[in-house]
Amino acid sequence: MNYDKSNKNLLNLAFNLSLITIIYNLVEGGVSTFYGSEDETLALFGFGIDSFVEVISGLGIAHMVWRMKRSPVERRDKFERTALIITGSAFYLLVLGLVIGAALNIYSGAKPHTTKVGIIIAIISITTMYFLYKAKIKVGKKLNSAPIISDAHCTKTCFYLSFILLGSALIYEIFKVPYVDALGSLGIAWYAFREGREAFEKARTNAMSCSDDCC
């Protein structure tokens, strides 16, 4: 079975969207971890690490769409399963690090110098992830492609995650509420745990369906 020209154009768009997601997460991860470390805000630092982990997942998605451009795909190959296992493991390690970091920050009374950068990054991320989600879900529905729709739902999870960063950063910057940065990092840890669990479940099932989402 071969795709017609219209579907091939949609698959090219899906592939480009996956590349945009990878590049964006690399930039976002670099900026977030740098300023998270400089400003001593655990929530922003954890958000950045989450972005780097999403890059690994994104590589698996890009590889999958590349295969779909050649012929319809019903099952994950070895590369995609390996990417999912690495992604799940990295998310679980992130959860462990964030929980320990939040506990230490609360115990020591550590506070960020500022969360202004976190506010800016969160707003940019919300805008970008909303655009990517709408574009991916539109392409996925037109192709009736469960894998692309699943990827869109994972992007929507990143959209929600950005709101956690924005909320904790705004509350601290405006009201200087103690420990709110640590609580924000725990919120990110919860989403990271869910994403890690989803990654391992996908790696185990191998087959792809519309129920494969991250939200």
Side-chain angles (χ1 to χ4, degrees), residues 2-207:
N2 294 317
Y3 290 114
D4 59 27
K5 185 176 180 180
S6 175
N7 283 354
K8 286 182 177 179
N9 289 336
L10 288 171
L11 284 170
N12 285 333
L13 176 57
F15 183 72
N16 290 334
L17 288 171
S18 68
L19 292 183
I20 292 171
T21 303
I22 291 169
I23 293 169
Y24 176 80
N25 277 319
L26 280 171
V27 174
E28 181 182 77
V31 174
S32 298
T33 52
F34 175 78
Y35 282 101
S37 177
E38 285 287 305
D39 297 336
E40 296 185 8
T41 161
L42 185 61
L44 180 57
F45 185 81
F47 185 80
I49 298 297
D50 182 273
S51 298
F52 283 135
V53 180
E54 292 290 353
V55 170
I56 303 172
S57 175
L59 290 172
I61 295 296
H63 175 75
M64 177 196 68
V65 177
W66 181 260
R67 286 202 299 135
M68 290 173 66
K69 290 170 66 175
R70 298 180 178 182
S71 61
V73 172
E74 296 181 356
R75 301 181 71 82
R76 296 184 178 89
D77 67 4
K78 184 177 180 180
F79 181 91
E80 291 152 22
R81 291 194 302 272
T82 301
L84 284 168
I85 292 170
I86 294 173
T87 298
S89 301
F91 273 130
Y92 282 160
L93 287 173
L94 174 59
V95 171
L96 180 62
L98 287 176
V99 170
I100 293 174
L104 290 174
N105 280 7
I106 292 173
Y107 177 77
S108 64
K111 299 176 183 178
H113 297 312
T114 178
T115 55
K116 290 179 181 177
V117 176
I119 294 171
I120 295 170
I121 291 175
I123 292 172
I124 293 173
S125 181
I126 287 169
T127 304
T128 303
M129 291 303 148
Y130 179 78
F131 163 76
L132 287 172
Y133 166 71
K134 297 297 286 186
K136 289 177 180 180
I137 203 74
K138 184 177 180 179
V139 172
K141 287 182 177 179
K142 284 185 176 180
L143 287 169
N144 193 28
S145 170
I148 294 176
I149 291 173
S150 174
D151 180 42
H153 285 304
C154 289
T155 300
K156 186 166 68 173
T157 296
C158 299
F159 174 72
Y160 293 148
L161 200 62
S162 302
F163 277 102
I164 293 179
L165 175 63
L166 179 61
S168 63
L170 274 174
I171 291 171
Y172 182 81
E173 196 64 34
I174 297 172
F175 302 107
K176 303 299 180 184
V177 176
Y179 313 132
V180 71
D181 182 66
L183 293 176
S185 69
L186 290 176
I188 291 171
W190 168 244
Y191 268 96
F193 174 78
R194 291 182 61 186
E195 289 179 289
R197 182 180 61 192
E198 293 280 353
F200 279 116
E201 287 176 355
K202 289 180 179 182
R204 282 195 300 268
T205 57
N206 197 19

